[in-house]
């Protein structure tokens, strides 16, 4: 009942021309039964929305939680809405590590995104020391409860959580599919304490060194509804292969 999702996170990569070539490269090759998304740098979003094939949704990688104002360098939800993007990644571990993103600001951003009908992809995940000291669930519980504190969800299918263990991001050391399943199931259980049965409609992705060679294994797990992919989403061929994991 949950539509599988494959979301690329381009991070700080690709010029406008490179993004347009990507669109040409994936055109006609993406499946209809998987929701395919690319989250791109803000400056190329408008061109990407125009050029993306109809079954490729576009997302941003961050946004501010104010509507407008004296926040130099920031992008507001109103601007994203005006650009016609569908998704926005919130609380990615790189934002938490390098730009002071906290559970509190993630919570404010989730509320703002939903206020403007932007679909949030909320990232959570433990660092290596937390996993090694058996604190993974404790960390996930704190991050999820805080991110969704006071958040009313009208359409659970429009809310996405990404479990991204920080030690697996960009390292080539992907979590095993069992680890991913355990964490995604745990996240769903935490969501159930807030949203009851609606938790079964919220999609939970795994992210961290997902590649065409390992995607199928993750997708075979009952609580893993898709993947958030960095490096392997940059090339059109690799993205097409990821999205077509069922073939
Ligand atoms: P990666 O990045 O696939 O390059 O590990 C994942 C992410 O940061 O979302």
């Amino acid at each position: 009942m949950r539509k599988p999702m494959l979301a690329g996170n381009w991070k700080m990569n690709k010029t406008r021309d490179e993004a347009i070539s990507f669109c040409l490269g994936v055109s006609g090759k993406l499946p209809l039964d998987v929701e395919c998304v690319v989250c791109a740098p803000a400056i190329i979003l408008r061109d990407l929305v125009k050029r993306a094939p109809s079954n490729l949704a576009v997302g941003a990688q961050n946004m501010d939680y104010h509507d407008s104002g004296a926040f130099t360098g920031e992008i507001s939800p109103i601007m994203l809405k005006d650009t016609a993007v569908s998704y926005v990644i919130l609380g990615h571990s790189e934002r938490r590590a390098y730009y002071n993103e906290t559970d509190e600001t993630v919570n404010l951003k989730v509320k703002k995104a939903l206020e403007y009908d932007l679909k949030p992809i909320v990232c959570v995940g433990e660092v290596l020391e937390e996993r090694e000291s058996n604190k993974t669930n404790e960390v996930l519980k704190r991050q999820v409860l805080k991110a969704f504190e006071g958040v009313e969800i009208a359409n659970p299918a429009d809310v996405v959580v990404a479990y991204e263990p920080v030690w697996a991001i960009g390292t080539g050391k992907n979590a095993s599919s069992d680890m991913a399943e355990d964490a995604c199931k745990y996240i769903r259980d935490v969501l159930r304490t807030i949203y009851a049965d609606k938790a079964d409609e919220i999609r939970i992705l795994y992210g961290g060194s997902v590649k065409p060679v390992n995607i199928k294994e993750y997708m075979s797990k009952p609580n893993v509804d898709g993947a958030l992919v960095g490096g392997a989403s940059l090339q059109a061929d690799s993205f097409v292969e990821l999205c077509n994991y069922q073939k």
Side-chain angles (χ1 to χ4, degrees), residues 8-247:
N9 172 11
W10 284 352
K11 309 192 180 186
M12 199 173 70
N13 292 292
K14 287 205 193 291
T15 60
R16 172 184 173 277
D17 286 352
E18 288 166 346
I20 292 170
S21 318
F22 178 95
C23 290
L24 294 173
V26 302
S27 185
K29 298 179 186 164
L30 299 176
L32 292 173
D33 50 358
V34 173
E35 190 163 7
C36 308
V37 185
V38 283
C39 297
I43 198 162
I44 59 172
L45 287 174
R46 190 175 293 275
D47 287 293
L48 201 49
V49 167
K50 260 191 228 151
R51 303 296 189 106
S54 59
N55 52 338
L56 178 63
V58 176
Q61 300 173 359
N62 178 38
M63 65 168 213
D64 195 77
Y65 55 84
H66 299 91
D67 289 341
S68 62
F71 303 101
T72 302
E74 291 296 308
I75 308 282
S76 82
I78 296 175
M79 296 166 189
L80 290 186
K81 203 59 208 163
D82 184 51
T83 309
V85 301
S86 315
Y87 286 92
V88 58
I89 295 175
L90 298 175
H92 189 278
S93 66
E94 286 151 18
R95 304 272 341 153
R96 293 179 192 253
Y98 310 142
Y99 303 98
N100 261 338
E101 193 92 68
T102 63
D103 292 339
E104 286 71 26
T105 55
V106 173
N107 176 245
L108 292 168
K109 291 179 180 193
V110 172
K111 286 177 180 159
K112 265 294 161 190
L114 291 174
E115 183 184 328
Y116 286 98
D117 288 328
L118 292 160
K119 303 175 190 178
I121 301 174
V122 183
C123 300
V124 296
E126 81 286 359
V127 298
L128 189 59
E129 304 85 80
E130 291 164 337
R131 173 154 289 266
E132 286 175 343
S133 51
N134 286 323
K135 292 203 173 116
T136 300
N137 285 359
E138 191 184 310
V139 171
L140 295 178
K141 186 175 185 179
R142 189 199 74 229
Q143 291 177 331
V144 171
L145 289 179
K146 190 65 205 179
F148 289 98
E149 191 177 279
V151 174
E152 277 186 37
I153 294 181
N155 302 311
D158 289 347
V159 173
V160 181
V161 177
Y163 167 60
E164 296 210 306
V166 180
W167 48 270
I169 296 176
T171 58
K173 288 190 210 153
N174 55 306
S176 71
S177 56
D178 285 337
M179 277 180 190
E181 167 62 17
D182 287 349
C184 291
K185 181 178 184 310
Y186 181 74
I187 290 168
R188 197 176 308 286
D189 289 343
V190 174
L191 289 168
R192 195 170 283 113
T193 66
I194 325 175
Y195 299 114
D197 289 350
K198 281 185 181 174
D200 290 320
E201 291 170 63
I202 296 175
R203 283 173 294 179
I204 306 179
L205 316 180
Y206 165 74
S209 300
V210 174
K211 306 266 182 288
V213 290
N214 58 30
I215 180 74
K216 217 175 178 152
E217 175 77 22
Y218 292 113
M219 297 308 290
S220 71
K221 298 292 177 183
N223 283 285
V224 180
D225 303 317
L228 180 57
V229 186
S233 74
L234 288 169
Q235 303 306 322
D237 288 353
S238 168
F239 185 76
V240 165
E241 231 183 303
L242 286 163
C243 293
N244 287 291
Y245 68 91
Q246 283 157 323
K247 289 181 188 155

